Amino acid sequence: IGISHAVAKKARNKFLFRKFCAEHGIRTPEFKLLTSKRNLKSIGSKMDFPLVIKPAYGASSEYVVKVENQDDLANIYDYISKNIATSTDTVFMDGLEILIEEYIDGDEVDIDVILQNGKIKFYSITDNDKTNEPFFVETGQSIPSNLPAKDQDALVLLAEETLEKLGVQNGIIHFEAKSTKHGPVPIEDNLRMGGDEVNSFVKGAWGVDLI
């Protein structure tokens, strides 16, 4: 059963997803769409560093960079805005907008979900190893998760609440989040099966074939 274009667009666009979360009472960091270099001067007074800058459309953590100060922000924005192009990656055919948001400090996880009629029928939580900041390309993963059971339960409830409010009833979902000292925070809600090795290691750990 498919997912409507309107719902998919909210999840696919990182700015629209943050906006959706803010409007529906789901924890989200401060965020802003950068429409030009003129926006940068006001960022430091409105948002606390460190920050994360990323394309609103993107994949595989491409051009996602941690920003420590105002000078970093200007330099990194220049680099990203000059280099993202549909000629190098067709993922940007949906748009070249750039988003900035507060850095979320915590343990990053992936939650792979089988959702049927609005109910989670299966889930698997994978711990992500620390990335080599300021970049966020994955360096390793561990399944099953080593987080305390209460933190895992809170993450699953967050994923379920977000999917319910989005109006997603059926699908194989790859939900990315961070477990923080203040509770779980969503990063992305991918309305598709996780890529790369996800199907293989979920099958290896739990005997469940997501396909």
Side-chain angles (χ1 to χ4, degrees):
I1 300 174
I3 294 168
S4 74
H5 179 265
V7 170
K9 187 175 180 180
K10 288 179 186 176
R12 175 75 181 80
N13 182 304
K14 295 175 176 61
F15 172 74
L16 293 181
F17 180 62
R18 288 292 185 221
K19 187 177 178 182
F20 167 83
C21 289
E23 291 172 348
H24 289 81
I26 300 168
R27 287 195 62 221
T28 190
E30 290 291 324
F31 64 97
K32 184 177 179 63
L33 198 63
L34 297 176
T35 55
S36 74
K37 197 169 182 178
R38 291 193 301 274
N39 292 134
L40 303 183
K41 293 181 180 179
S42 63
I43 295 297
S45 61
K46 295 179 180 178
M47 301 170 70
D48 295 328
F49 289 99
L51 302 170
V52 176
I53 190 168
K54 61 177 74 172
Y57 292 99
S60 302
S61 300
E62 189 174 16
Y63 297 114
V64 182
V65 187
K66 185 177 181 181
V67 179
E68 297 285 0
N69 54 54
Q70 196 75 40
D71 288 339
D72 274 355
L73 177 56
N75 293 333
I76 294 168
Y77 177 80
D78 274 346
Y79 177 80
I80 294 175
S81 59
K82 289 175 182 176
N83 284 278
I84 59 171
T86 56
S87 59
T88 56
D89 195 331
T90 55
V91 73
F92 297 119
M93 291 185 73
D94 285 326
L96 300 174
E97 295 92 347
I98 298 173
L99 169 71
I100 190 157
E101 63 185 30
E102 288 182 321
Y103 175 78
I104 307 166
D105 192 14
D107 298 305
E108 186 171 345
V109 302
D110 297 333
I111 310 169
D112 294 288
V113 171
I114 298 177
L115 190 72
Q116 244 182 349
N117 298 318
K119 298 293 184 183
I120 291 180
K121 298 300 180 75
F122 169 82
Y123 71 85
S124 171
I125 301 177
T126 305
D127 296 335
N128 292 341
D129 292 349
K130 295 291 184 182
T131 58
N132 296 319
E133 295 181 356
F135 306 107
F136 293 89
V137 176
E138 291 181 353
T139 59
Q141 296 176 307
S142 176
I143 181 174
S145 173
N146 288 305
L147 290 175
K150 63 180 181 60
D151 294 338
Q152 294 189 46
D153 290 344
L155 285 161
V156 174
L157 285 174
L158 171 70
E160 190 168 40
E161 177 190 9
T162 305
L163 291 165
E164 179 183 357
K165 290 182 175 180
L166 269 171
V168 179
Q169 290 289 304
N170 300 278
I172 308 298
I173 312 297
H174 187 69
F175 191 92
E176 301 175 23
K178 276 196 173 182
S179 178
T180 79
K181 61 183 179 181
H182 301 297
V185 181
I187 298 175
E188 294 182 15
D189 190 0
N190 300 288
L191 305 182
R192 54 163 175 78
M193 189 180 76
D196 300 324
E197 65 284 348
V198 167
N199 184 62
S200 176
F201 64 44
V202 168
K203 191 173 182 179
W206 306 112
V208 173
D209 189 329
L210 295 175
I211 294 173

